[in-house]
Amino acid sequence: MAPTDPASAPEAEPTLDRPWPLVGREPQVARATGALGSGEARSVFLYGPSGIGKSRIQSEVGDRLAEAGWLVLTASGNPALSSVPFATVAPALARGVENPTLPATTDPLALFSATNATIAELAAGRPVILAVDDLSAADTVSVALIAQLVAAGAISLIATLPEGEPMPEGTLPVAASPDSLRVDVASLDLDEVSELLALALDAPIAHRDAVELHRASHGNPLFLRELAIGAVEAGTLAHTGGLWQLHGDPVGTPALRDLIRARLRNLGVEERDAVERLALCEPLGIDEFVRPGAPEALAELELRGMVRVDESGHGIAITLAHPQYAGAVRESLPRIRAISLLAEQADVVANGPMTVVDELRIAMWRLDAGRPSDPELLIRSADLARRAHDHRTAERLASAAIGAGATDASAHLMHGELLWSLGRGAEALAALANAETAARATEHPGAALAAIATKRAEIYGGDPLGSERGIRLLEEIGRALPEQLPMLLISKATLVLHLLRAEEALALVDEADGRLGDSPVERAIVSLARAMPLSQMQRSAEALAEAEAAVAYASDEDAHIPKRRAQVPYAYALIESDRYDDARRTTIEMLHDAIRNDDELTARHAEFLMGRQFWAAGRLDTAARWFRDSLSGAELRGPASLRGPSLGFLTVIACMQGDLERARELRGRFEAGYDREDTLTALSDAWLARTEGDADAAARILLTRVDQVLPLGAFHVAASFLHTLARMGPRTRVAEAAERLAALAQRTGAPEIALRSRHARAEASADAAMLRSVGEEWERLGGLLFAAESFASAGQAARAGGRGREASADLQRAAALAAACEGARTPLLCFTDGTEPLTPREREIASLAAQGLSSNEIAQRLFLSPRTVNNHLQSTYTKLGIRGRRELQP
């Protein structure tokens, strides 16, 4: 399995030039092997672009057939020898004969008879498979011979063909026969890229960086390998904080660039011109290629798989087929040629009817050519790029505008906002200082100063312990500029909520609402601001309604709020409503949109929220992986405010898995001063105390924090802490937790608190039937750890009542649920039912099986044989008292 814990990180740099594992190709391998082995197919043709993994699949199929007793002969087409008769097949026969006498190639019948006899001698009764790599480059004599041998039943064939290359004419009858199988090899998807990188690098890679490498490679395994090797060698892909992380754009190896340039070497003049223009300016409309011969050149490039044609928009857009083509071409272009092409293409578009998007493109091309446009055009273009959520391009244009002479406050403010979205907080504050200086030099600076203060306060709130500083700034500006109060109140509410002052935050939003208008954007801003305190007050239905209204507004193409930003409070509300699956779908969409648009703030929140969801569901290893992503991202890119909470959850998870040493190490990394009235610090310290055996100290920490947050309206935190107390004990405090949860449930009317109250009451009374009912409800919601704990307590209660059969059933169900909780060893799960506990390997395999992976998929991931996986699963079923994988919990 790909390593998931920093403790399993590589001590030395991995050897990346070794063969990489074969990932994501089991369906193709199994299909080809099965068809050939059963006799269903006599020939298999593997299609796909260069580097996609056709040859690896072919080799794996050959290995499996060899294990089954087949004779495997290998051959390879070679363009340099394609005119040499018999050049492809001859080496395959010569490898198996000590002193081969190869037949003359002038007589086709003699050649067939002699080759057939040689193969029969080599096979000695075994079935024969000929594996030909790059059949399209084979010589015509070999192609005809192969077709004859397949038609005669002397051999079976598995061959690869590059994308865009025709099937050799001699093998067309073979390919067209009913017993021929075509297998198209697709790119690896994101999960497969993540798994492959983790296996090759001997440690996990941050999800956001797996997304970037997947984008850069288009899921092509060869390109991915060369990009990873190049990035490691350049130091832009480094192992820090238990994860591999990109510290810049991925950099390919010289071998990758040479491979791409080799594909471009034989292009004609017009084809090369089109490729160079696309490398610098893509996408381009088909009518934006104005040189004579361009349509014919583009058609040829499309046939060769080098460009893509997109007709989904208003016109026909052309792009290069792979993002790495653009980089390789740009690197090989002389600067003078690049400047000439950029300027020429800008003039082509400028001389036609232009849209605002065309203005943006022209501004970027002229900027790339070292001929920036006037400041006003650059600022307009930056604003357009920002509205399109392309923050990196927008920041570059805004910086260029300021460099070209844009000195007004709005330009500096935009630049500061863009820098902050990219996670560059210190630079953003410097830009805002320039904005304030420019604003104060104007006659009416009020609106600008309020906007600058709001953004500055947000940045302050992005640092640990910075919320109070931001609140003071907003209050000061509010006194000086009372006419700007509505938006200042909204900003202040966000910072106040950081301090869990939920009722105060809601009151501030309501006050702002009374001063704002009824425009759609103002209504959406209020809904966004109101959703978070409502969630914290456990008024979940209202919180979801407000968040859904904001998301609905932000989903409009012309909305002033990016949809991903509106989804942040929506995901929080879903989590705090115990709707984990819905939250996960929303957060993944938000995360990938943030990664695509270089929105580091939203990406960090999304990573953190992914951890929250899996932690709430009891998937502890998976949650820890996401919290490590948010921790490393906060340290590398910001915002720093998520560093402490991520460390806190990692500490809690280490305790829940019984790893006290790891938990203490994580707790020691908390920033000085961060533990002042902080919820995650209190939760971490409570779990540490309980793991160290001091249950009374853990209870005191939890109850102290409950008493602090209840007057603030942070009912979700209070309920969560009281529920934790009911689950971790000591027994003398469980009844108190149950009583206080019952009072809180009555006070709020929240169904989420009512469920926790029933759980606590069932634990306090040791009511097996109630515990069983609560466990079923948690299981239905997806809270697997809480469900496992409920059934474990039900089994203990039934056993104490002398109901052995009930106890055995409950404890077996608890164990099956716990197997999906990835190493959970919480106090309620430390029970003994007379059965042997699962080993770490059994727990690991059971968790993967519970997620729906087949035995073959588990075997591949863990480097085991399918038989070993099945043996472990059978042992697990016996220990848990279940009949099969269907009874393992997902």
Side-chain angles (χ1 to χ4, degrees):
M1 179 176 169
T4 57
D5 192 279
S8 62
E11 295 183 2
E13 291 292 314
T15 307
L16 294 180
D17 56 359
R18 71 186 191 275
W20 279 29
L22 187 65
V23 169
R25 301 308 191 201
E26 179 58 30
Q28 294 92 336
V29 171
R31 187 181 177 202
T33 306
L36 290 165
S38 65
E40 175 189 340
R42 282 192 300 167
S43 61
V44 173
F45 296 95
L46 302 169
Y47 288 83
S50 298
I52 204 68
K54 305 183 297 295
S55 300
R56 287 294 308 280
I57 294 171
Q58 182 188 61
S59 177
E60 181 68 17
V61 171
D63 289 345
R64 294 191 185 184
L65 291 175
E67 288 179 9
W70 286 53
L71 170 65
V72 180
L73 301 175
T74 59
S76 180
N78 186 336
L81 299 176
S82 60
S83 61
V84 179
F86 202 40
T88 302
V89 171
L93 300 178
R95 290 189 197 105
V97 180
E98 198 166 315
N99 294 301
T101 302
L102 299 179
T105 59
T106 53
D107 184 349
L109 280 177
L111 180 61
F112 169 74
S113 299
T115 304
N116 190 21
T118 301
I119 289 174
E121 181 184 347
L122 292 170
R126 294 173 290 170
V128 181
I129 180 79
L130 175 63
V132 183
D133 199 20
D134 196 0
L135 181 64
S136 61
D139 63 279
T140 55
V141 171
S142 291
V143 167
L145 178 60
I146 291 168
Q148 287 178 296
L149 292 167
V150 173
I155 63 169
S156 295
L157 172 69
I158 181 167
T160 69
L161 289 107
E163 186 178 57
E165 296 293 335
M167 171 76 70
E169 189 173 341
T171 51
L172 283 175
V174 175
S177 67
D179 58 2
S180 177
L181 174 65
R182 175 186 175 120
V183 177
D184 291 291
V185 184
S187 301
L188 298 176
D189 64 25
L190 175 58
D191 289 340
E192 291 162 345
V193 163
S194 298
E195 181 181 354
L196 178 56
L197 286 168
L199 290 168
L201 294 165
D202 294 330
I205 184 169
H207 180 81
R208 60 186 174 275
D209 297 325
V211 170
E212 176 60 22
L213 285 165
H214 179 259
R215 182 204 63 78
S217 67
H218 271 199
N220 183 298
L222 175 61
F223 283 24
L224 179 69
R225 182 179 187 273
E226 297 303 318
L227 283 167
I229 292 173
V232 169
E233 290 175 348
T236 55
L237 181 60
H239 188 265
T240 54
L243 293 168
W244 286 95
Q245 300 182 71
L246 279 170
H247 297 255
D249 292 331
V251 180
T253 61
L256 175 59
R257 294 190 288 275
D258 290 345
L259 178 69
I260 294 170
R261 289 169 186 161
R263 287 205 72 188
L264 306 175
R265 195 168 293 134
N266 297 322
L267 296 179
V269 174
E270 294 304 326
E271 292 162 5
R272 176 166 286 281
D273 180 83
V275 167
E276 289 173 349
R277 287 177 191 276
L278 287 169
L280 295 167
C281 305
E282 66 178 349
L284 289 173
I286 194 167
D287 56 345
E288 291 172 346
F289 293 88
V290 296
R291 284 172 58 103
E296 294 79 8
L298 290 170
E300 179 62 27
L301 290 169
E302 183 185 6
L303 282 173
R304 295 171 66 171
M306 298 186 68
V307 300
R308 296 183 189 277
V309 180
D310 182 4
E311 300 184 62
S312 60
H314 298 299
I316 299 176
I318 313 294
T319 61
L320 292 172
H322 198 286
Q324 294 307 309
Y325 289 178
V329 173
R330 286 196 299 266
E331 282 187 14
S332 66
L333 270 180
R335 178 61 180 157
I336 298 300
R337 170 68 174 163
I339 290 171
S340 173
L341 285 172
L342 286 163
E344 183 180 318
Q345 202 62 47
D347 291 343
V348 167
V349 176
N351 290 332
M354 285 206 305
T355 66
V356 289
V357 175
D358 293 329
E359 274 196 2
L360 171 60
R361 293 199 297 159
I362 290 169
M364 284 301 303
W365 295 340
R366 288 178 174 160
L367 184 62
D368 288 343
R371 302 174 184 176
S373 307
D374 65 273
E376 289 187 9
L377 175 59
L378 288 167
I379 282 295
R380 287 201 307 271
S381 300
D383 185 54
L384 181 63
R386 179 174 63 170
R387 289 174 183 273
H389 313 312
D390 185 350
H391 290 191
R392 186 178 292 188
T393 297
E395 188 279 324
R396 186 165 175 238
L397 287 163
S399 178
I402 292 168
T407 57
D408 58 292
S410 61
H412 288 291
L413 174 58
M414 180 195 296
H415 193 212
E417 291 171 339
L418 291 165
L419 287 166
W420 174 232
S421 72
L422 294 169
R424 294 155 62 181
E427 294 172 75
L429 287 172
L432 293 176
N434 292 333
E436 183 176 352
T437 300
R440 292 192 182 280
T442 63
E443 188 175 350
H444 301 290
L449 289 175
I452 293 164
T454 298
K455 184 55 61 175
R456 185 177 281 155
E458 181 185 335
I459 296 172
Y460 290 160
D463 282 323
L465 309 176
S467 295
E468 292 281 11
R469 182 185 180 190
I471 290 169
R472 289 194 298 272
L473 170 65
L474 293 170
E475 290 173 344
E476 178 185 330
I477 293 292
R479 288 190 293 270
L481 302 169
E483 71 277 6
Q484 302 297 329
L485 199 56
M487 295 310 298
L488 294 172
L489 290 170
I490 293 287
S491 183
K492 182 181 176 183
T494 300
L495 297 181
V496 161
L497 192 62
H498 288 177
L499 305 175
L500 294 185
R501 288 148 50 182
E503 289 182 338
E504 181 184 348
L506 186 59
L508 288 167
V509 177
D510 288 342
E511 183 182 350
D513 188 16
R515 297 169 182 264
L516 289 169
D518 291 324
S519 69
V521 65
E522 287 172 304
R523 293 298 87 215
I525 288 170
V526 169
S527 289
L528 276 178
R530 187 173 276 143
M532 292 291 279
L534 286 170
S535 287
Q536 194 55 255
M537 295 170 72
Q538 207 68 69
R539 290 163 59 177
S540 301
E542 297 170 76
L544 285 169
E546 296 283 6
E548 285 167 352
V551 170
Y553 164 80
S555 298
D556 188 87
E557 194 173 294
D558 298 322
H560 293 275
I561 302 170
K563 182 181 177 182
R564 61 181 177 276
R565 293 285 178 94
Q567 287 173 316
V568 173
Y570 183 43
Y572 272 104
L574 288 169
I575 293 170
E576 291 168 12
S577 302
D578 297 328
R579 289 172 54 182
Y580 309 129
D581 289 342
D582 292 337
R584 196 170 303 143
R585 284 190 290 271
T586 298
T587 309
I588 279 290
E589 179 187 340
M590 173 190 7
L591 173 60
H592 287 183
D593 189 39
I595 292 170
R596 279 193 301 273
N597 292 287
D598 297 309
D599 184 348
E600 294 292 344
L601 300 182
T602 307
R604 243 12 29 80
H605 280 289
E607 290 164 348
F608 182 77
L609 284 167
M610 288 298 292
R612 281 279 310 270
Q613 293 150 35
F614 282 110
W615 178 75
R619 298 274 301 282
L620 300 187
D621 283 340
T622 306
R625 193 200 88 191
W626 283 107
F627 286 129
R628 283 196 293 274
D629 274 15
S630 63
L631 171 62
S632 64
E635 292 178 335
L636 184 64
R637 299 174 172 93
S641 59
L642 283 175
R643 180 181 183 275
S646 300
L647 275 172
F649 272 113
L650 286 169
T651 304
V652 169
I653 290 170
C655 290
M656 294 173 78
Q657 293 180 320
D659 191 345
L660 184 56
E661 182 180 352
R662 173 76 177 146
R664 286 170 174 163
E665 184 270 325
L666 288 162
R667 178 64 180 86
R669 292 170 59 188
F670 281 30
E671 188 170 334
Y674 178 72
D675 54 357
R676 186 181 64 197
E677 297 185 358
D678 179 76
T679 296
L680 260 298
T681 306
L683 187 63
S684 299
D685 288 344
W687 272 102
L688 271 167
R690 183 63 180 84
T691 308
E692 290 168 343
D694 194 344
D696 287 323
R700 287 194 299 272
I701 294 168
L702 292 172
L703 290 172
T704 297
R705 190 59 178 152
V706 168
D707 291 337
Q708 289 170 342
V709 301
L710 270 177
L712 306 177
F715 302 135
H716 173 78
V717 171
S720 177
F721 273 41
L722 290 169
H723 186 224
T724 299
L725 176 57
R727 294 165 47 234
M728 70 163 53
R731 298 297 306 172
T732 54
R733 296 282 199 169
V734 175
E736 179 182 356
E739 289 173 10
R740 296 191 66 171
L741 272 169
L744 190 55
Q746 185 174 10
R747 176 180 175 181
T748 62
E752 300 83 8
I753 298 180
L755 174 58
R756 286 161 176 79
S757 173
R758 289 199 304 277
H759 189 176
R761 191 165 71 251
E763 291 287 354
S765 62
D767 185 327
M770 185 185 295
L771 284 162
R772 210 170 288 128
S773 173
V774 167
E776 289 168 351
E777 179 66 8
W778 279 124
E779 187 176 355
R780 184 187 68 78
L781 291 171
L784 302 183
L785 178 57
F786 297 158
E789 291 175 336
S790 299
F791 281 110
S793 294
Q796 298 284 47
R799 176 186 287 166
R803 301 187 300 279
R805 182 171 296 179
E806 285 182 30
S808 178
D810 288 333
L811 293 173
Q812 287 172 357
R813 192 164 180 183
L817 284 158
C821 293
E822 300 172 348
R825 295 178 58 192
T826 57
L828 291 179
L829 292 181
C830 293
F831 60 87
T832 302
D833 63 351
T835 63
E836 183 183 352
L838 298 182
T839 66
R841 178 63 90 185
E842 288 168 344
R843 191 171 64 234
E844 184 177 37
I845 290 173
S847 178
L848 293 172
Q851 295 171 47
L853 274 70
S854 69
S855 294
N856 283 338
E857 290 169 328
I858 296 171
Q860 185 178 25
R861 184 174 294 193
L862 302 185
F863 300 107
L864 301 172
S865 71
R867 178 180 296 178
T868 300
V869 170
N870 288 328
N871 288 341
H872 279 301
L873 283 173
Q874 194 56 53
S875 174
T876 299
Y877 304 151
T878 301
K879 290 180 180 182
L880 299 181
I882 59 179
R883 288 167 293 184
R885 68 169 61 221
R886 289 187 180 181
E887 296 183 50
L888 289 171
Q889 300 301 312

